Amino acid sequence: QKEVEQNSGPLSVPEGAIASLNCTYSDRGSQSFFWYRQYSGKSPELIMSIYSNGDKEDGRFTAQLNKASQYVSLLIRDSQPSDSATYLCAVTGAGRRALTFGSGTRLQVQP
Amino acid sequence: GAVVSQHPSRVICKSGTSVKIECRSLDFQATTMFWYRQFPKQSLMLMATSNEGSKATYEQGVEKDKFLINHASLTLSTLTVTSAHPEDSSFYICSARPGQGAGEQFFGPGTRLTVL
């Protein structure tokens, strides 16, 4: 079992729709959770961080964390073609400072 | 967010040569920096954790004698790929975290290495 799992996609949504990206993790000791966006040929860019159960909103982005289910998600409202990228879920655990990445979900927003 | 730079952004070298990549935190101090490698259509794989003033911690399967890491100051870490071979061609990315603990990490723009 991978430590951090994501559906590779592609996830295709029409412009203006809500894109929902999901991630599960195996280490129950995980403490910090991050969503990064990576455009082709570029390095990851931090979108959201979340540390406690519940929702965290920032503009068009909402991160949701459920530690009991070991599940973290990212919602993108009013999706734009410029949101088309690979979204990486990353986790750090107790005693581990480095990020563990999922394989990423490729999002395609259709104009 | 915090800014991390990397240099060079792209390098092409002959097989057998060594290549040095620099990673700098521009507006914060980083006692710890991280080096990742990404092959096409794959996710980022952690290579090593660079610790200021001490030896780097390498992930399993990463040769410490081939990938030399130096973290001489709180704003600079270097990765040297020694005796590079075509299979070392990849996208090398560093990241750094302001402060301690498990907070947000910020990535440099990456270095694309091509070994002929």
Side-chain angles (χ1 to χ4, degrees), chain A:
Chain A
Q1 180 188 8
K2 292 181 180 178
E3 293 184 55
V4 181
E5 295 211 42
Q6 295 180 255
N7 189 316
S8 62
L11 172 65
S12 185
V13 301
E15 184 175 354
I18 296 175
S20 177
L21 305 161
N22 305 314
C23 171
T24 59
Y25 59 95
S26 60
D27 183 358
R28 281 198 172 274
S30 299
Q31 298 175 327
S32 306
F33 308 86
F34 307 91
W35 283 99
Y36 287 84
R37 176 175 63 196
Q38 186 175 27
Y39 292 110
S40 181
K42 303 294 185 182
S43 68
E45 171 192 10
L46 181 66
I47 298 296
M48 292 283 288
S49 60
I50 187 165
Y51 305 99
S52 56
N53 281 330
D55 296 0
K56 179 182 178 182
E57 185 175 320
D58 184 0
R60 295 186 297 114
F61 300 98
T62 298
Q64 299 173 319
L65 175 62
N66 184 325
K67 290 187 177 181
S69 300
Q70 295 175 245
Y71 174 91
V72 58
S73 66
L74 179 70
L75 299 177
I76 306 175
R77 289 181 297 281
D78 188 23
S79 295
Q80 301 297 309
S82 58
D83 294 327
S84 298
T86 296
Y87 288 80
L88 300 167
C89 173
V91 173
T92 59
R96 179 172 171 84
R97 297 168 296 169
L99 294 168
T100 301
F101 281 92
S103 57
T105 299
R106 189 157 62 94
L107 172 67
Q108 295 177 339
V109 181
Q110 306 294 337

